């Protein structure tokens, strides 16, 4: 399974970005991503944290409290792509954002469920 994250950049506080994660390889159906997907971030000097996740069937989402109401995770199974729409960005949202996949469809809210990772995309929010 290969994951390619993109869409990061430099934005002022209050601005918006949309991250994309293209998934390929593995045992994908033609038009069905089929994996639990998560977006993680790692801020400088801090541990990586799960910020948003969506199960393979798309029914339900998870957000860490600090982004709830500002970030939206979604998936387009026809394109094998998962998105993270971020609004109202704050300087504390700065970090490297990674997408990750769990083909085994375990608990999508659990950090430890994810075993395939993309390379990360940098998000920098200036004050």
């Amino acid at each position: 399974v290969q994951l390619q994250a993109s869409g990061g950049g430099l934005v002022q506080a209050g601005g918006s970005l949309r991250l994309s994660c293209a998934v390929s390889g593995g045992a994908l159906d033609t038009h069905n991503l089929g994996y639990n997907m998560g977006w993680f971030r790692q801020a400088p000097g801090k541990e990586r944290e799960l910020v948003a996740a969506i199960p393979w069937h798309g029914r339900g989402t998870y957000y860490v409290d600090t982004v709830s109401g500002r970030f939206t995770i979604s998936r387009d199974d026809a394109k094998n792509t998962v998105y993270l729409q971020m609004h109202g960005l704050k300087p504390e949202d700065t970090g490297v954002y990674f997408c990750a996949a769990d083909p085994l469809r375990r608990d999508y809210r659990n950090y430890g469920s994810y075993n395939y990772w993309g390379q990360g995309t940098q998000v920098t929010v200036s004050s």
Side-chain angles (χ1 to χ4, degrees), residues 8-120:
L10 173 64
V11 64
Q12 290 187 334
S16 299
L17 284 174
R18 189 178 80 158
L19 306 183
S20 299
C21 176
V23 184
S24 61
L28 295 174
D29 294 333
T30 302
H31 297 294
N32 183 358
L33 186 55
Y35 303 158
N36 290 350
M37 298 295 299
W39 281 100
F40 294 72
R41 72 181 174 196
Q42 188 162 18
K46 295 187 178 180
E47 294 186 352
R48 191 175 300 186
E49 65 172 340
L50 175 63
V51 296
I54 187 167
W56 65 274
H57 47 71
R59 297 187 297 273
T61 53
Y62 164 83
Y63 299 98
V64 69
D65 288 346
T66 52
V67 309
S68 183
R70 300 187 295 122
F71 291 11
T72 302
I73 188 171
S74 63
R75 59 194 303 147
D76 184 338
D77 289 349
K79 296 181 178 179
N80 288 340
T81 301
V82 178
Y83 303 98
L84 185 67
Q85 179 67 57
M86 305 185 293
H87 293 299
L89 283 163
K90 304 176 181 180
E92 51 264 44
D93 294 318
T94 293
V96 180
Y97 283 69
F98 302 85
C99 59
D102 171 24
L104 299 181
R105 303 176 178 179
R106 293 167 290 187
D107 183 355
Y108 67 97
R109 301 158 296 180
N110 188 332
Y111 181 113
S113 295
Y114 296 89
N115 50 359
Y116 290 95
W117 297 82
Q119 84 290 358

